């Protein structure tokens, strides 16, 4: 039998076919459901079930010195009849000579060298698999060395352990449990082990003004090509002034002024398919969903029109259920948990929607992609930090080679970004559309029905989105709109991605915080010298339009329901209880009078001549507020669905 495939890389199709031939051959000599494992680690000395042996030789590589297969098939049955044990080869029986298995009574050589021709990602997975399979100690069933180490790192992060305390804990564990062998003895070696398993990230220097990344063609640059800002931190002069590297050469070259962390996406997607269980789960949207009649109910993103429209347009992508659909969620947060400290770190998290609904939204399924450092929000310059991610998404649209452990074959792994999920400010940053001011609606755009109400902008004429025969359209007196007129207008048409791209390509936006602030657009301005401001809607061209499919996506950006519910609830409660966040104040009552609506709520004077605000229908007396607060104090909700309300009621 031809065994030349043993010398091929584990990623080669002929190597995979050869492994399948070996498995079929070895099943002839099963002993209690097990066979010897000829992977390059076990070296025919250990027994495992056939499925485990198949996984070993596919990912760890075949032991190059074992070519005659005398311990498998019918040969292994004869060997057992001759009295060989089930562990290693008996002295004087079949043995190896000059790197080949023979039937001569020669010594057993364990130091045979061989060439490792596996590609880099396969080597990374082998280390991961080996650490995962290695027990913490003999008889341990709850932890492997890898899982136990990851639990320790999780505790270190959650409880802010110092490196010194982590080292002391590792020393205590090794002293107390000597049965734990080959376990990292310090934080340094622990980090090294995790890095070798492919769980690391790339550090990419960035301009402090958010102008550019020192990445790709700018990797070796020392200055920002936009404003000339130095890449490196500078020392302080005697009077506390910054001393640049120009003239005095006091710059601490080698210490970047700003660094972002990027977690490569392609290796992480490949790792998902390297597990047979998760590889099977990634097909759920195609194999386990309900019938076509039941798909009319939205239970999973694959039931949505945006998903179906994408599949209809890109049939070659949708034909393979392993093609990954991704969502991108982002928001800023303060990692120091101090409300009086201004700091805004922005993580970018990807969600693989191929998984079933009970898995895709679990934190363990999220893929951290980018970590943008503070101290301030990147704003519209967030696109600068998205360049590495968009680059990988372009590669994944064409496809990269990966291994499917569920089917046991190589395949072309493709992925696409379907939409983003953000709050309203994040929506503006990623979409390049305006979400504040008079044109705050990214759907209505320049046709946003808005007007100033007191000291804030309000958005009226929302009844035009109702059906033409809806009774609310002719009940203007019941709605807080100017003049209380009936609504006979039509809703504006929803702009397509092509329409938005055409508008944004007219915007000349320069990344960076050093530029002069943009000139504010005046409502109703018709200066002939400023025609471009009249026809352009948007703040920049979104970097996601670099993806060839982005402009054709039916739904590109989503608003996070959690933020909307929180803000609406806070304003409602603040208004009902007359708190600081109340939306009913003196300015609002004056605005009602200016609009000539709701006359019973205009500011009035009491019998002493003092000004007061007449109570509205939602105004609560002191007794009503006490009863309402008592309900909130005793209210119990499921774990994770609300904060401790009782602590908020005084």
């Amino acid at each position: 039998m031809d065994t030349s495939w043993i010398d091929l890389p584990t990623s080669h199709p002929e190597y995979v076919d050869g492994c399948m031939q070996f498995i079929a051959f070895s099943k002839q000599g099963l002993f209690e459901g097990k066979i010897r494992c000829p992977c390059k680690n076990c070296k025919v000395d250990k027994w495992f079930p056939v499925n485990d042996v198949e996984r070993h030789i596919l990912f760890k590589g075949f032991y190059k010195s074992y070519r005659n297969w005398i311990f498998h098939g019918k040969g292994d049955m004869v060997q057992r009849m001759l009295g060989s044990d089930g562990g290693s080869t008996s002295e004087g029986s079949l043995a190896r000579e000059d790197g080949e298995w023979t039937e001569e009574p020669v010594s057993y050589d364990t130091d045979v060298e061989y060439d490792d021709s596996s590609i880099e990602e396969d080597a990374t997975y082998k280390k991961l698999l080996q650490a995962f399979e290695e027990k913490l100690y003999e008889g341990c069933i709850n932890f492997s060395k890898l899982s136990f180490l990851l639990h320790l790192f999780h505790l270190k992060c959650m409880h802010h352990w110092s490196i010194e305390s982590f080292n002391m804990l590792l020393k205590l564990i090794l002293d107390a449990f000597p049965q734990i062998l080959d376990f990292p003895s310090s934080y340094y070696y622990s980090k090294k082990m995790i890095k070798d398993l492919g769980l690391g990230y790339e550090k990419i220097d960035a301009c402090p003004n958010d102008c550019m990344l020192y990445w790709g063609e700018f990797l070796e640059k020392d200055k920002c090509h936009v404003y000339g800002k130095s890449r490196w931190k500078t020392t302080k002069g005697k009077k506390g002034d910054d001393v640049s590297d120009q003239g005095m050469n006091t710059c601490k070259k080698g210490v970047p002024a700003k660094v972002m962390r990027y977690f490569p996406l392609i290796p992480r997607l490949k790792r998902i398919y390297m597990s047979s269980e998760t590889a099977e789960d990634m097909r759920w949207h195609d194999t386990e969903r309900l019938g076509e009649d039941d798909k009319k109910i939205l239970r999973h993103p694959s039931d949505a029109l945006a998903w179906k429209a994408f599949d209809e347009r890109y049939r070659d992508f949708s034909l393979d259920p392993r093609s990954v659909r991704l969502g991108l969620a982002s928001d800023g947060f303060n990692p120091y948990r101090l409300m009086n400290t201004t700091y805004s770190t922005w993580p970018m998290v990807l969600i693989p929607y191929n998984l079933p609904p009970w898995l895709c939204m679990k934190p363990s399924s999220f893929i951290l992609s980018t970590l943008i450092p503070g101290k301030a929000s990147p704003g519209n310059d967030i696109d600068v930090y998205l360049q590495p991610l968009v680059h990988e998404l372009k590669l994944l649209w064409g496809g990269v080679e990966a291994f499917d452990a569920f089917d046991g074959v190589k395949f072309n792994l493709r992925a696409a970004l379907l939409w983003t999920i953000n709050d309203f400010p994040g929506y503006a940053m990623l979409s390049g559309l305006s979400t504040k001011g008079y044109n705050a609606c990214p759907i209505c755009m320049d046709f946003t029905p808005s007007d100033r109400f007191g000291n804030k902008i309000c958005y009226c004429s929302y009844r035009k989105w109702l059906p033409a025969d809806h009774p609310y359209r002719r009940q203007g007196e019941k709605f807080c709109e100017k003049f209380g007129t009936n609504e006979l207008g039509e809703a504006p048409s929803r702009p397509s991605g092509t329409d938005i791209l055409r508008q944004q390509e007219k915007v000349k936006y320069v990344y960076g915080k050093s530029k002069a602030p943009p000139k504010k657009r005046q409502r109703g301005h018709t200066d002939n010298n400023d025609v471009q401001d009249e026809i352009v809607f948007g703040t920049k061209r979104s970097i996601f339009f670099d993806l060839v499919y982005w402009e054709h996506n039916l739904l590109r950006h989503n608003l996070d329901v959690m933020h909307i519910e929180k803000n609406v609830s806070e304003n409602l409660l603040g208004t009902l209880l007359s708190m600081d966040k109340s939306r009913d104040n003196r300015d609002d009552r004056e605005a009602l009078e200016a609009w000539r609506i709701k006359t019973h709520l205009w500011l009035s004077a009491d019998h002493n001549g003092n000004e007061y605000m007449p109570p509205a229908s939602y105004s609560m007396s002191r007794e009503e507020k006490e009863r309402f607060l008592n309900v909130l104090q005793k209210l119990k909700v499921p774990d994770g669905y609300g904060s401790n309300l009782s602590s908020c009621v005084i």
Side-chain angles (χ1 to χ4, degrees):
M1 184 177 293
D2 181 21
T3 58
S4 59
W5 55 268
I6 294 177
D7 297 318
L8 297 174
T10 56
S11 59
H12 200 285
E14 293 184 12
Y15 177 84
V16 177
D17 293 339
C19 289
M20 297 300 102
Q21 294 175 11
F22 169 79
I23 292 298
F25 174 80
S26 63
K27 289 181 179 179
Q28 303 175 27
L30 286 175
F31 180 69
E32 296 182 353
K34 297 182 179 181
I35 59 174
R36 294 174 185 263
C37 180
C39 75
K40 68 178 185 180
N41 289 347
C42 298
K43 300 179 181 179
V44 206
D45 287 339
K46 297 181 180 179
W47 293 70
F48 292 103
V50 176
N51 291 338
D52 292 344
V53 172
E54 179 181 344
R55 188 174 70 254
H56 280 208
I57 61 177
L58 281 173
F59 295 109
K60 297 182 180 180
F62 204 95
Y63 185 43
K64 297 183 183 296
S65 299
Y66 183 57
R67 297 179 181 271
N68 292 334
W69 300 354
I70 58 176
F71 289 130
H72 294 83
K74 296 181 179 179
D76 195 35
M77 297 173 63
V78 175
Q79 177 66 8
R80 289 197 301 271
M81 293 173 61
L82 292 175
S84 175
D85 59 27
S88 59
T89 309
S90 302
E91 186 176 355
S93 62
L94 301 177
R96 284 175 289 197
E97 181 180 19
D98 297 331
E100 296 290 340
W101 285 95
T102 68
E103 298 186 12
E104 299 295 331
V106 294
S107 62
Y108 186 87
D109 183 8
T110 60
D111 296 326
V112 178
E113 296 184 359
Y114 52 88
D115 296 329
D116 186 7
S117 56
S118 301
I119 58 177
E120 184 177 353
E121 56 261 29
D122 288 342
T124 301
Y125 179 73
K126 292 169 191 176
K127 293 181 181 180
L128 178 64
L129 185 62
Q130 183 178 2
F132 176 76
E133 292 180 344
E134 193 172 1
K135 295 181 179 179
L136 183 62
Y137 56 85
E138 193 62 34
C140 180
I141 60 175
N142 294 324
F143 294 100
S144 65
K145 288 185 178 179
L146 176 63
S147 65
F148 185 71
L149 183 60
L150 292 177
H151 274 78
L152 290 179
F153 267 98
H154 179 69
L155 292 175
K156 178 186 182 300
C157 295
M158 292 295 294
H159 300 287
H160 308 285
W161 295 351
S162 65
I163 295 178
E164 182 179 358
S165 64
F166 191 80
N167 289 336
M168 294 176 66
L169 176 62
L170 290 177
K171 186 177 184 303
L172 177 63
I173 291 175
L174 293 176
D175 290 342
F177 305 99
Q179 64 269 36
I180 302 179
L181 302 177
D182 300 327
F183 196 75
S185 58
S186 67
Y187 177 79
Y188 171 78
Y189 290 110
S190 301
K191 290 278 289 184
K192 188 175 181 181
M193 178 179 177
I194 290 186
K195 181 179 180 181
D196 290 341
L197 296 176
L199 301 177
Y201 55 85
E202 298 177 8
K203 291 183 179 180
I204 303 177
D205 296 350
C207 176
N209 291 334
D210 300 332
C211 304
M212 58 170 288
L213 291 181
Y214 295 97
W215 174 79
E217 60 178 321
F218 304 113
L219 180 61
E220 303 299 328
K221 298 290 185 181
D222 289 329
K223 293 181 179 295
C224 168
H225 69 280
V226 182
Y227 297 107
K229 183 75 173 178
S230 175
R231 174 178 182 174
W232 315 105
K233 285 185 177 180
T234 57
T235 58
K236 295 288 184 178
K238 291 183 179 180
K239 295 183 179 181
D241 298 330
D242 287 342
V243 180
S244 68
D245 59 337
Q246 297 179 354
M248 301 188 67
N249 196 26
T250 56
C251 176
K252 295 181 179 179
K253 187 171 182 178
V255 181
K258 192 171 186 179
V259 181
M260 66 165 281
R261 272 74 175 174
Y262 179 67
F263 302 79
L265 174 61
I266 293 177
R268 283 163 170 79
L269 292 182
K270 285 185 175 182
R271 189 176 297 116
I272 289 177
Y273 282 100
M274 285 179 178
S275 168
S276 58
E277 293 183 1
T278 55
E280 182 180 10
D281 288 335
M282 290 292 282
R283 295 167 169 80
W284 184 92
H285 69 95
D286 182 70
T287 60
E288 300 296 330
R289 282 193 304 156
L290 300 176
E292 288 296 330
D293 293 337
D294 294 323
K295 289 179 184 178
K296 296 178 182 178
I297 301 175
L298 184 62
R299 295 187 177 94
H300 186 267
S302 56
D303 298 324
L305 293 177
W307 184 300
K308 295 176 181 178
F310 189 91
D311 286 356
E312 184 67 24
R313 187 177 187 90
Y314 303 105
R315 291 184 178 274
D316 58 331
F317 181 89
S318 60
L319 284 176
D320 190 349
R322 294 171 295 196
S323 297
V324 183
R325 278 83 165 180
L326 297 169
L328 177 68
S330 180
D331 195 10
F333 76 103
N334 187 340
Y336 301 111
R337 300 182 180 180
L338 298 174
M339 299 305 294
N340 60 345
T341 300
T342 302
Y343 202 95
S344 182
T345 297
W346 282 75
M348 300 283 174
V349 179
L350 293 167
I351 303 101
Y353 287 121
N354 293 42
L355 296 170
W358 54 88
L359 289 179
C360 69
M361 296 309 296
K362 275 194 172 183
S364 58
S365 300
F366 295 167
I367 303 174
L368 179 61
S369 173
T370 307
L371 198 59
I372 304 173
K375 298 181 178 179
S377 166
N380 282 335
D381 299 325
I382 196 171
D383 287 3
V384 171
Y385 299 96
L386 290 172
Q387 293 178 76
L389 174 60
V390 172
H391 173 70
E392 281 202 285
L393 288 172
K394 290 180 181 179
L395 295 177
L396 285 166
W397 181 244
V400 296
E401 189 179 70
F403 181 78
D404 182 359
F406 181 71
D407 287 339
V409 296
K410 291 281 183 177
F411 74 104
N412 189 39
L413 173 61
R414 301 183 65 185
L417 181 67
L418 296 186
W419 51 64
T420 70
I421 307 172
N422 307 94
D423 57 5
F424 225 41
Y427 187 119
M429 292 165 53
L430 291 175
S431 67
L433 300 174
S434 174
T435 59
K436 60 183 179 181
Y438 288 104
N439 298 325
C441 179
I443 305 300
C444 299
M445 300 174 67
D446 278 342
F447 300 100
T448 301
S450 57
D451 206 335
R452 179 161 292 279
F453 184 82
N455 59 356
K456 49 184 171 286
I457 298 175
C458 68
Y459 305 94
C460 305
S461 300
Y462 42 81
R463 288 178 291 155
K464 66 176 59 176
W465 295 92
L466 295 173
D469 58 347
H470 199 284
Y472 284 175
R473 280 179 169 265
R474 292 167 176 80
Q475 297 178 6
E477 72 281 356
K478 296 183 179 180
F479 292 89
C480 292
E481 294 185 3
K482 208 168 189 178
F483 312 123
T485 58
N486 296 333
E487 180 59 70
L488 303 178
E490 296 182 358
S493 59
R494 185 186 185 94
S496 66
T498 304
D499 296 332
I500 294 175
L501 177 60
R502 188 181 300 114
Q503 288 289 316
Q504 291 186 350
E505 284 179 338
K506 301 174 184 177
V507 180
K508 296 180 180 180
Y509 182 81
V510 180
Y511 294 107
K513 297 295 191 295
S514 296
K515 57 183 179 296
K519 183 173 63 174
K520 292 185 178 180
R521 180 180 176 185
Q522 299 296 327
R523 186 173 179 85
H525 184 64
T526 57
D527 188 353
N528 292 331
N529 296 326
D530 203 12
V531 176
Q532 182 172 339
D533 285 346
E534 286 300 304
I535 63 174
V536 173
F537 181 82
T539 57
K540 64 175 181 180
R541 179 187 181 275
S542 173
I543 192 175
F544 290 122
F545 281 111
D546 290 349
L547 303 173
V548 295
Y549 52 83
W550 189 253
E551 68 173 292
H552 303 295
N553 284 5
L554 187 63
L555 180 64
R556 290 171 298 280
H557 302 281
N558 296 269
L559 288 173
D560 187 356
V561 177
M562 179 197 72
H563 285 86
I564 297 174
E565 290 178 339
K566 172 182 175 294
N567 294 335
V568 171
S569 298
E570 286 182 349
N571 284 283
L572 282 176
L573 289 176
T575 303
L576 292 174
L577 299 175
S578 302
M579 298 169 62
D580 293 338
K581 287 194 174 183
S582 174
R583 292 298 178 180
D584 185 9
N585 52 43
R586 187 178 185 279
D587 292 337
D588 298 325
R589 297 298 180 96
E590 289 180 345
L592 291 176
E593 186 173 359
W595 278 28
R596 312 304 297 174
I597 59 175
K598 308 291 182 182
T599 57
H600 61 285
L601 296 178
W602 295 359
L603 293 174
S604 304
D606 58 15
H607 60 281
N608 293 325
N610 298 323
E611 185 182 72
Y612 83 102
M613 294 192 306
S617 59
Y618 47 79
S619 299
M620 301 173 67
S621 65
R622 182 180 181 85
E623 294 180 356
E624 290 172 333
K625 291 179 181 178
E626 289 180 354
R627 291 203 306 268
F628 179 67
L629 292 174
N630 285 332
V631 172
L632 290 182
Q633 190 174 33
K634 298 177 181 179
L635 182 65
K636 294 183 179 180
V637 296
D639 185 30
Y641 281 79
S643 61
N644 185 6
L645 293 177
S646 61
S647 64
C648 302
V649 179
I650 302 176

